[in-house]
Amino acid sequence: MERPTLIIGNRNYSSWSLRAWLALDATGQEFDEVVIPLGQSDTTEEILRWSPTGRVPALHDGEIRLWDSLAICEHLAETCPEAGLWPNDARERAAARSVVAEMHSGFVALRKHMPMNLRATYPVADHQGGVEDDITRIESIWKDCRTRFGGEGDLLFGGFTIADAFYAPIVSRFSTYGISPGGIAGEYMDAVWDLPAMQDWAEKARAEKWSVERYDR
């Protein structure tokens, strides 16, 4: 059987690629990956070979083509139900879908002013244009999900789900920009960093040679 191919940007900067990659890794299936460096003169041209939007990630799974991180994750949950990418309980699943959708469409200020950069460490600075509100809301989501649905596990809904895949890049951003929540939110950050898949991604990101000037201060 043909293995799926995931098209991603370089790991240091591509938060949306990380989300899809973590979900695909969690299915346990073998897959190929194509890494396209961001911010290069031919980046869009190279991505358009795989994705009609010119953006990453994209997934080619046999004859199926997907070019959005959430669409990829939904496809994986549908085709690999044994991976438990959505919670089994309907109430928990509704909450998980809601916090994922909130991340997918929101937190614009945080994304703009705190781009993902795993190789960098920046001092805590004054938060611009709504960033503080985004941080407060994200910490609230983590506390609420862990308290109501975390059970005996360490992640938002106990075991790994799409919700954790979607908030993993925020964990990396908080680390880069010196955001250190305490209590439940801080424990959740530690649990995400301890995931073997997250460690693997971060290690490879730090070894990359590509640089994008607008993301490197």
Side-chain angles (χ1 to χ4, degrees):
M1 180 180 296
E2 183 181 358
R3 302 198 305 189
T5 298
L6 184 67
I7 299 86
I8 61 175
N10 45 313
R11 285 173 165 82
N12 191 51
Y13 308 111
S14 188
S15 59
W16 292 106
S17 296
L18 171 57
R19 293 176 171 107
W21 188 89
L22 286 173
L24 182 52
D25 180 79
T27 67
Q29 63 181 311
E30 294 185 352
F31 61 94
D32 298 317
E33 64 180 38
V34 174
V35 181
I36 299 175
L38 303 179
Q40 310 302 309
S41 61
D42 62 345
T43 294
T44 300
E45 179 184 356
E46 288 299 310
I47 296 174
L48 283 170
R49 295 173 54 201
W50 301 92
S51 167
T53 64
R55 297 179 178 181
V56 288
L59 179 68
H60 290 198
D61 189 3
E63 296 183 355
I64 294 174
R65 303 288 184 266
L66 301 112
W67 52 87
D68 173 86
S69 57
L70 183 51
I72 291 169
C73 290
E74 287 281 13
H75 170 73
L76 296 172
E78 183 179 76
T79 55
C80 304
E82 69 283 353
L85 291 176
W86 289 124
N88 289 325
D89 179 81
R91 185 173 67 102
E92 294 187 12
R93 193 163 59 250
R97 282 197 162 110
S98 293
V99 299
V100 166
E102 189 172 351
M103 173 53 65
H104 192 255
S105 62
F107 304 114
V108 176
L110 185 145
R111 291 190 205 148
K112 177 180 179 181
H113 297 293
M114 295 171 56
M116 190 168 93
N117 189 333
L118 279 157
R119 291 198 300 260
T121 302
Y122 298 124
V124 178
D126 293 335
H127 296 142
Q128 306 177 57
V131 172
E132 191 64 46
D133 290 340
D134 284 352
I135 292 171
T136 298
R137 174 57 188 154
I138 288 168
E139 290 185 17
S140 175
I141 288 171
W142 291 353
K143 293 174 186 176
D144 180 61
C145 290
R146 287 289 303 128
T147 300
R148 291 201 292 154
F149 307 119
E152 297 181 0
D154 296 323
L155 302 177
L156 294 180
F157 295 85
F160 182 86
T161 67
I162 293 170
D164 301 300
F166 265 65
Y167 283 88
I170 301 300
V171 169
S172 79
R173 282 176 160 104
F174 279 14
S175 178
T176 296
Y177 295 91
I179 310 301
S180 302
I184 294 172
E187 292 169 2
Y188 174 67
M189 281 187 62
D190 291 341
V192 172
W193 272 123
D194 286 342
L195 292 171
M198 190 71 170
Q199 289 291 312
D200 179 71
W201 179 280
E203 181 180 354
K204 290 175 181 175
R206 294 177 183 123
E208 289 175 341
K209 305 299 183 183
W210 303 293
S211 179
V212 179
E213 184 176 355
R214 67 178 181 272
Y215 298 146
D216 289 318
R217 297 181 180 180

